[in-house]
Amino acid sequence: MPVQETISTWDRLLEISRKNTPARRVRRPGQSPSTSPIPSGLHKLNSDTPPVLLYRDTNSWCPFCERVWFALEEKEIPFETEFIDLSNKPKWYTDLVPTTLVPAAKIEGKLVYESKDILLALEERFSSPPLLPEDPEENAVARQLIENAETSGFLGAAYKFLRHQTSDAAELANFQTDLEAKLDELEESLGRYPGLYFVSTFSLVDIMYSPHLDRLAANLPVYRGYHIKGNERFPRLNAWFEAIKQRPAYHRVKSDSTTNNLLLRRRFGLQPVGNPLPLDITDSETLHYRAEAAERLSDNREVAIADIVKNSGVQALAADGDITGVKEAVEWHLKLLAEYLLHGKDLPLLGGRTGGKENTTDPTVAAVGAITLAYVRNRICAPRDMSAGAATAFRAAADKVLASLY
């Protein structure tokens, strides 16, 4: 199984990628996840111990945890993260937190749990920049909207329509009607004050809704054939989505649509009925996102190669059970992917095995490459492994390189 060399070594790929992205992560050898992002507020740390310790899920997908992370990033509060395996919660955690759920946080040593209560506690302790209005009347409205996010029935209606398994079309139509009524309420709330947010400025209200609306906007087209984004019934909600996208903290904490859809299917066993939203072309062509994806792949290559060899099925292509050639082919195609992320149009890709009689690509190498790229494309999880923008660039590049193999 002969494998040709790429232009760059892994060290060179890592060097180039780090020159083109500010994104950095902390390695966590032998732990899950294997890396974690560095908080944007770490430069404000005045002592050895950050004032906030956040307990959250290992997949970095929990929408309630995302609320707290979003606020921490908006306020640039230094914090540490303790990741909790939700499938095997440690006893010390279930003893510590009465609900046994995530998120929880210690704020200067004081335990707070439930995302809403953590957000309000952070606002009380770290008031700058403010995420609640100063005007007393508007502040009261914001606090009521925060409460409504938990008690209005919006989440129940949304996830019943999305997840409830039924073959009864009339029942499903009723679920859709219930959700639309709740979305109409949000649409009305967004019109109460000038501007694009729920109150006159970006606030904790937006943070309460953002993770759930993001997931619904990604999931509903795929699993229910229903669209919030682009739906003329909800012009204010669509303007709100665009406003949220302008906030740097949002891009640090959000999941990408592919992650949201894959995790929902794996967790709840839902079957797609529609097509996912297309990848964001802007993100896929943005250099710092492409470089971040290449940096993550280059820095984490050993874990990636081991995972692919063990779990993707490429071992079936090993000659006489010797996986040496398979591992070399996996690594070569991952290098090619990193090269393409960094150099894009300047990197000539393979002509493909259907490109003519002169093609010399070993068919087994091409098959290993196809499996590798298809597997790793959907294996990455944002923001666990990289930011959502980098994940989008990674998937788009994997699609491009995969298409060049045959």
Side-chain angles (χ1 to χ4, degrees):
M1 191 185 296
V3 177
Q4 66 189 83
E5 284 300 317
T6 52
I7 299 170
S8 303
T9 64
W10 281 119
D11 287 343
R12 178 60 177 157
L13 291 168
L14 196 57
E15 178 186 0
I16 296 171
S17 61
R18 286 179 172 168
K19 286 180 178 178
N20 288 282
T21 180
R24 296 290 185 273
R25 297 173 76 95
V26 176
R27 282 191 173 191
R28 306 174 71 247
Q31 301 179 72
S32 179
S34 59
T35 65
S36 64
I38 298 173
S40 61
L42 201 61
H43 65 284
K44 294 184 176 181
L45 186 62
N46 296 321
S47 64
D48 293 336
T49 304
V52 176
L53 173 60
L54 172 63
Y55 300 101
R56 67 161 310 157
D57 60 312
T58 53
N59 274 330
S60 299
W61 183 75
C62 167
F64 301 96
C65 297
E66 185 178 314
R67 287 173 172 174
V68 179
W69 188 14
F70 198 167
L72 288 166
E73 291 291 341
E74 277 286 340
K75 288 178 171 289
E76 293 193 335
I77 301 170
F79 68 98
E80 288 183 299
T81 303
E82 182 80 35
F83 291 95
I84 305 299
D85 182 352
L86 301 187
S87 64
N88 185 26
K89 295 175 186 173
K91 186 176 185 302
W92 65 261
Y93 186 76
T94 58
D95 288 343
L96 175 69
V97 180
T99 63
T100 75
L101 304 175
V102 293
K106 284 186 177 178
I107 302 174
E108 296 181 329
K110 180 182 178 181
L111 179 69
V112 187
Y113 47 92
E114 301 291 355
S115 59
K116 178 193 70 174
D117 295 331
I118 298 171
L119 293 180
L120 293 173
L122 289 173
E123 184 67 15
E124 181 178 351
R125 173 59 186 85
F126 305 96
S127 58
S128 180
L131 290 178
L132 283 175
E134 293 184 9
D135 176 75
E137 181 179 343
E138 189 177 351
N139 185 290
V141 170
R143 289 177 182 274
Q144 185 58 57
L145 289 171
I146 290 170
E147 190 67 29
N148 291 350
E150 300 283 70
T151 62
S152 69
F154 163 68
L155 295 182
Y159 291 116
K160 181 177 285 188
F161 177 46
L162 176 62
R163 298 175 186 168
H164 188 74
Q165 305 280 9
T166 180
S167 57
D168 187 331
E171 184 180 28
L172 196 59
N174 288 335
F175 292 157
Q176 177 177 323
T177 298
D178 291 343
L179 171 59
E180 288 176 327
K182 295 301 178 183
L183 291 172
D184 286 338
E185 291 176 8
L186 295 184
E187 185 76 10
E188 183 178 352
S189 294
L190 283 165
R192 181 164 185 166
Y193 292 94
L196 301 175
Y197 300 117
F198 282 95
V199 291
S200 58
T201 59
F202 178 81
S203 73
L204 293 181
V205 184
D206 304 291
I207 287 176
M208 287 289 289
Y209 280 106
S210 174
H212 293 286
L213 284 171
D214 246 5
R215 284 155 177 74
L216 291 168
N219 296 154
L220 287 171
V222 174
Y223 296 105
R224 285 293 179 257
Y226 185 84
H227 292 257
I228 298 176
K229 289 185 176 180
N231 191 327
E232 294 181 356
R233 180 168 176 165
F234 310 117
R236 293 192 185 104
L237 267 173
N238 277 274
W240 177 85
F241 277 119
E242 290 302 312
I244 292 293
K245 283 175 62 177
Q246 306 310 310
R247 309 199 71 83
Y250 166 76
H251 290 279
R252 290 180 63 85
V253 306
K254 74 183 292 285
S255 296
D256 69 314
S257 293
T258 304
T259 294
N260 284 330
N261 284 321
L262 289 172
L263 286 179
L264 189 76
R265 184 175 184 181
R266 291 168 188 165
R267 184 173 179 184
F268 296 102
L270 300 183
Q271 295 301 312
V273 299
N275 293 321
L277 299 175
L279 296 177
D280 189 319
I281 295 176
T282 302
D283 286 351
S284 68
E285 295 180 351
T286 301
L287 177 58
H288 73 85
Y289 283 142
R290 294 173 69 97
E292 180 189 345
E295 194 273 342
R296 290 286 76 237
L297 176 58
S298 301
D299 191 49
N300 208 39
R301 60 189 180 273
E302 293 178 0
V303 173
I305 292 168
D307 179 39
I308 293 164
V309 170
K310 179 180 179 181
N311 297 311
S312 71
V314 292
Q315 290 191 47
L317 298 175
D320 301 321
D322 182 1
I323 65 169
T324 302
V326 167
K327 288 183 68 174
E328 290 176 353
V330 168
E331 182 173 9
W332 186 84
H333 284 90
L334 291 181
K335 275 188 181 180
L336 182 62
L337 175 56
E339 286 267 12
Y340 182 74
L341 280 162
L342 292 173
H343 301 297
K345 296 177 182 178
D346 296 329
L347 178 71
L349 291 173
L350 304 175
R353 289 192 47 75
T354 59
K357 294 181 180 179
E358 296 182 1
N359 184 280
T360 58
T361 304
D362 184 297
T364 306
V365 170
V368 171
I371 294 171
T372 294
L373 293 164
Y375 177 81
V376 78
R377 181 200 188 279
N378 287 344
R379 184 69 173 92
I380 60 168
C381 175
R384 182 194 66 189
D385 303 319
M386 60 187 71
S387 71
T392 298
F394 186 98
R395 298 185 209 280
D399 288 342
K400 186 73 173 181
V401 178
L402 177 58
S404 77
L405 298 183
Y406 284 94

